[in-house]
Amino acid sequence: MVSTRAVPNLAFRRLRGQRSAGEFAAAVRRSAREIGEQVACDARYIGRVESGEIRCPNYAYERVFLHMFPGTNLVDLGFSPRESVRGRGAPSTADAPSSPTSPLLRSDTDEECDVLRRVFMTSGSTTMAAASLGLGGMAASVSLPAQRRVGEAEVHAVEKAVRQIRLLDDRHGGDGLYRRASQPLRAAYALLDSGTSTRRSTADRLHSGAGELAISVGWLAHDSGRFEDARSHYAEALATARVAGDHALEAHAFCNASFLARDTGRSRESVRAAEAGLRAARPLGSPRLVALLSLREAGGRAGLGDRTGCERALGRAHTSFGQGPAPSDPEWMSFFREAELEMLEAQCWSALGDWSRAARHARRATRLQDPHFTRNLALYRAELTMDLARAGLAEEAAATGHQVLDLLDQVRSSRIRTMLAAAVAVLRPRGRGSVDITDFLDRHGTASA
């Protein structure tokens, strides 16, 4: 019978010494920066380790702890060997995750994802995991007999799930998809943890597919306003990339992490994540990826009020984008066309308070956008509505706002609704005396009720 009691980690507690949990957490964060890791350790995490709730840290924390205490291993630090807690039998209830409450890009929630992955393992079998690699019948499911080795069919199912989620997101937004997409993500990591692939190329593809799936699910969380969940998924993808040595996956994870940081008001972190993504992207030979990461950096610098730095990053983005597509461009970048470049530049000028310039770029984005990307069409028009309202072009803003409302029957995105609500807040004081503005405000109020 498996014990349900957590065993306190006394060895780790001794290492803390006379320092408070908060002081020790600060030391962990400093050590992480020394080796280029990103963790947001706090007193709560230290408490969870010392109580035995976290039996084994994720890979990022492992590297940090071994850097802090050279010559040690996880067992010396009071942790259980990784193979004893990942995919080897049923977990104890002591490993059950608690609700993440930490701020952006927090890697210490990864151990909670480890728990979810272990739940999908049943006596070493990947049957339940592979059977879950579908989205309500919209993606192919694969059923595996117990102890079967992971091969081409299983990796293909993971990759197909990634493409299916992206396609559905392009059409409908993240709000209605997030919960459904979490199940194939857990299934993918269960396959990864089974460790039964015989070919290196298959294992590499499975790592990449699982990481890309984590990013896709993280984006759905991001788009639907579940920022803590998004952070956890992006951190999981980054850890997977680091373990696999996958520079393309690492660049993608940092790209999305930078975007999330910008959206949650952590502009300096947004810049750092974009810069880390650019470093990872250098050997990949994709100018378009460099352009997108430069735009992420520009957005972070705009949030800091650094107009000069923003303009420099925008200049690099335009130069790289102008080099055109390349065979090495990642598949996930299919959305990144001229319309998206214009949209991201509009957001930079909006953050800097140059509303008229932001509106000019947002107009171009709406004109250039492929109508098949329904969510982005709504997003771009919401950005334009907000920029026009702040630029004092209230009548045009109301007309564009109506176009956004026309699309919200098809698109469910908390992010878009939040942007439109911000525009409404600007327009409301100006609504009196204008029938067009009043009509839009009334319609928005009815749609939001």
Side-chain angles (χ1 to χ4, degrees), residues 273-313:
E275 290 174 335
L278 284 164
R279 289 192 294 271
R282 281 173 189 156
L284 301 177
S286 171
R288 287 287 169 93
L289 178 56
V290 170
L292 180 57
L293 285 161
S294 297
L295 285 163
R296 297 290 188 234
E297 179 189 344
R301 294 194 181 281
L304 292 171
D306 179 6
R307 188 184 185 98
T308 300
C310 176
E311 289 179 337
R312 288 174 180 165

Side-chain angles (χ1 to χ4, degrees), residues 50-65:
E50 293 179 356
S51 71
E53 182 181 347
I54 296 174
R55 295 167 58 201
C56 184
N58 65 47
Y59 291 106
Y61 272 97
E62 177 181 356
R63 286 188 288 271
V64 175
F65 293 150

Side-chain angles (χ1 to χ4, degrees), residues 303-354:
L304 292 171
D306 179 6
R307 188 184 185 98
T308 300
C310 176
E311 289 179 337
R312 288 174 180 165
L314 287 173
R316 293 197 303 272
H318 280 278
T319 298
S320 296
F321 190 89
Q323 295 179 41
S328 54
D329 291 342
E331 181 182 349
W332 60 267
M333 288 189 64
S334 60
F335 77 96
F336 184 53
R337 305 175 185 181
E338 188 177 359
E340 182 72 8
L341 183 148
E342 292 289 346
M343 169 66 174
L344 294 177
E345 182 163 357
Q347 292 179 335
C348 289
W349 295 118
S350 181
L352 289 167
D354 193 337

Side-chain angles (χ1 to χ4, degrees), residues 184-204:
L185 175 61
R186 292 193 294 270
Y189 272 100
L191 291 173
L192 190 63
D193 277 355
S194 69
T196 54
S197 174
T198 57
R199 298 177 60 186
R200 178 61 183 269
S201 60
T202 301
D204 288 347

Side-chain angles (χ1 to χ4, degrees), residues 88-203:
R88 300 294 186 268
S92 74
T93 57
D95 294 317
S98 61
S99 300
T101 58
S102 53
L104 184 64
L105 233 181
R106 182 186 181 114
S107 297
D108 60 348
T109 54
D110 285 355
E111 76 279 358
E112 299 170 356
C113 297
D114 291 348
V115 173
L116 292 174
R117 295 198 296 271
R118 291 199 300 275
V119 168
F120 266 76
M121 302 304 295
T122 305
S123 301
S125 167
T126 55
T127 305
M128 290 300 295
S132 301
L133 283 171
L135 288 173
M138 303 190 76
S141 295
V142 178
S143 180
L144 299 178
Q147 305 301 327
R148 174 176 168 176
R149 294 186 181 279
V150 177
E152 178 67 26
E154 293 71 47
V155 173
H156 177 73
V158 174
E159 294 171 342
K160 187 169 183 179
V162 173
R163 296 188 185 101
Q164 192 69 21
I165 288 172
R166 290 174 182 163
L167 177 63
L168 293 171
D169 173 55
D170 286 339
R171 294 176 180 172
H172 306 295
D175 284 14
L177 295 173
Y178 175 60
R179 296 301 180 193
R180 293 165 62 195
S182 296
Q183 185 175 8
L185 175 61
R186 292 193 294 270
Y189 272 100
L191 291 173
L192 190 63
D193 277 355
S194 69
T196 54
S197 174
T198 57
R199 298 177 60 186
R200 178 61 183 269
S201 60
T202 301

